[in-house]
Amino acid sequence: MASHCSNHRLLILVLLCCGLLLVRFSSLGKDDVLLGPFNSIYNLGDIGDYSSAADHIAATLNLPSPQPYTQQGTEFFESGLNFATPGATIMSPFFFLKNGIKPPPQSHELSPIITFMKFFYRNCFSFHDCSKFKVLEKALIFMDQTGINDYKQAFLHGKSISQASHFAPEVVETIKNSVERLINEAEAKTIMVSGILPLGCFPGFRTLFSEEDSMDKNRCHKGLNLFSKLHNDHLSLVILKLRLKYPEVHIIYADYYKAFLAVLKNHAFLGFKTETLMKACCGSGDGPFNFDVKKKCGEEGAATCFDRASYLHWDGFRLTPEALENLIDTLFSKKGFVFPAFKFEEETAANSNKTSFQNSERS
């Protein structure tokens, strides 16, 4: 019990320190940043069974959905590509082994970011002079929840929240190095990096830690959510430092954590049922969360709900497409979930035209 309390004190202390540093740097991002227009989106991260966050972002920005990078031809390259893979991790097998964790199969493969760089070097110059035509100058590179599957692997193999919290600095440092590589080698000009969702609100994670902590007002696991905040605060600080180092590059932080809590708060209005709010649509019927790590979605004994659109959670670890769409809509709702806040050139031009029209009407 004493150990459990000390772990929580450690997490709270770290969060307070991170919060003070965020206040120190917050003045750097008060003004809106002018972005776009984008002509493509490159997705790096995880991907679900039906759609990815990048698909919804593309729809929001009126861009074509990024096609799988295995497609061949310059038309796919220039209209955006999807390098996301199911269960994608960013850490190497050595990271898992040294921390006493069985490496997931995905860790033996190239991460989406490394795959992107290899593809860029192999194919970009086959199509045209990348440096001359600035292929990525008007592209949005989206790093979606990088690191979340690394943490999931740790939790699935018995690591405590306190133990996993010690992994956060190394995971975030790897994300930082990846962002710098995209800037220095691929000449990326706009990179959006998302934080991770509140893990304590997901059926799969709650099942793993069901008896260890009390629930908050949203019926989410407090300790897991503190862990999510710890990772996100580390990541926010790193992004702020990168923005100072590379002022010519737009490095944007997408606050998935707060955006999801906004969706959770307004779930009834958005069409999600309260009685299934913390249940997986696809899973086993055992337990309060419709999730069993031994009978996961797609395995024998698991079943799929008939009204997926009323569920937030798909398989215990991922959102349903409907929930994901609402998350992205909330993210871009100009409620402070994107840092720094930004405007698109088209939006600015429209506002300028509207102002000119109003002035002419007055005269």
Side-chain angles (χ1 to χ4, degrees):
M1 182 69 182
S3 175
H4 184 65
C5 293
S6 64
N7 290 339
H8 270 70
R9 292 194 193 100
L10 174 63
L11 278 171
I12 292 170
L13 179 61
V14 174
L15 287 169
L16 286 173
C17 292
C18 289
L20 290 172
L21 286 171
L22 282 172
V23 172
R24 165 71 179 82
F25 285 106
S26 62
S27 61
L28 298 173
K30 289 183 178 179
D31 298 328
D32 286 356
V33 175
L34 180 62
L35 295 179
F38 299 116
N39 57 19
S40 58
I41 181 169
Y42 291 80
N43 183 30
L44 313 176
D46 197 0
I47 191 168
D49 294 341
Y50 294 96
S51 61
S52 69
D55 293 321
H56 296 297
I57 292 176
T60 300
L61 303 182
N62 295 315
L63 297 173
S65 288
Q67 299 299 308
Y69 74 93
T70 50
Q71 301 262 21
Q72 296 297 317
T74 182
E75 68 277 10
F76 294 110
F77 189 89
E78 292 178 336
S79 62
L81 291 170
N82 194 348
F83 291 85
T85 53
T89 58
I90 191 172
M91 306 307 288
S92 68
F94 176 73
F95 166 83
F96 295 102
L97 290 171
K98 75 174 183 179
N99 288 296
I101 305 166
K102 180 183 177 181
Q106 295 86 351
S107 71
H108 294 279
E109 302 170 1
L110 297 176
S111 73
I113 294 165
I114 295 175
T115 302
F116 171 83
M117 293 307 305
K118 288 176 71 68
F119 180 93
F120 185 83
Y121 281 121
R122 183 178 73 245
N123 294 300
C124 184
F125 293 100
S126 301
F127 298 145
H128 38 53
D129 186 343
C130 293
S131 59
K132 179 180 179 181
F133 291 98
K134 303 291 184 184
V135 171
L136 299 182
E137 191 170 71
K138 291 189 175 181
L140 172 64
I141 295 182
F142 180 51
M143 297 174 64
D144 186 14
Q145 287 203 94
T146 308
I148 191 169
N149 289 317
D150 303 85
Y151 295 134
K152 182 175 78 173
Q153 185 71 3
F155 290 137
L156 285 172
H157 285 78
K159 296 299 179 183
S160 67
I161 296 171
S162 178
Q163 288 172 318
S165 68
H166 294 292
F167 305 154
E170 189 172 352
V171 171
V172 171
E173 181 68 16
T174 305
I175 296 173
K176 168 184 168 291
N177 294 338
S178 299
V179 171
E180 292 203 273
R181 190 174 181 190
L182 290 168
I183 293 170
N184 293 323
E185 298 182 34
E187 298 186 33
K189 294 300 181 185
T190 306
I191 304 171
M192 178 180 285
V193 185
S194 83
I196 62 175
L197 291 160
L199 303 186
C201 300
F202 279 69
F205 291 107
R206 284 192 59 182
T207 300
L208 296 175
F209 294 93
S210 57
E211 302 300 328
E212 286 193 19
D213 205 351
S214 59
M215 302 300 151
D216 63 17
K217 62 180 181 180
N218 294 313
R219 297 163 57 198
C220 299
H221 190 286
K222 286 183 180 180
L224 281 166
N225 280 2
L226 277 174
F227 170 78
S228 300
K229 288 182 180 179
L230 176 69
H231 168 89
N232 290 339
D233 286 346
H234 273 296
L235 183 61
S236 298
L237 287 172
V238 162
I239 290 174
L240 285 167
K241 292 174 182 178
L242 286 172
R243 291 180 62 223
L244 285 174
K245 186 175 180 179
Y246 301 99
E248 73 285 359
V249 179
H250 298 300
I251 308 173
I252 303 159
Y253 175 68
D255 195 340
Y256 268 19
Y257 187 100
K258 290 181 181 177
F260 178 81
L261 290 183
V263 171
L264 192 61
K265 180 180 179 180
N266 296 287
H267 69 273
F269 175 78
L270 297 172
F272 300 107
K273 293 180 180 178
T274 300
E275 58 267 28
T276 59
L277 202 57
M278 291 296 169
K279 289 190 174 185
C281 170
C282 181
S284 73
D286 302 326
F289 307 119
N290 195 37
F291 178 87
D292 186 337
V293 72
K294 296 180 180 179
K295 290 186 288 185
K296 298 190 290 292
C297 181
E299 298 177 352
E300 185 177 354
T304 302
C305 65
F306 65 90
D307 55 344
R308 188 192 70 191
S310 65
Y311 281 71
L312 280 176
H313 303 286
W314 169 240
D315 62 358
F317 295 115
R318 292 177 293 179
L319 299 174
T320 60
E322 293 78 12
L324 191 56
E325 182 178 2
N326 276 283
L327 175 72
I328 299 304
D329 287 344
T330 303
L331 193 70
F332 285 90
S333 64
K334 300 180 182 178
K335 302 293 185 181
F337 301 121
V338 175
F339 181 84
F342 59 83
K343 296 178 180 179
F344 299 110
E345 286 186 0
E346 298 97 326
E347 176 187 341
T348 304
N351 290 338
S352 177
N353 292 337
K354 181 179 179 181
T355 302
S356 298
F357 175 77
Q358 290 172 340
N359 290 338
S360 65
E361 286 290 296
R362 292 192 190 100
S363 60

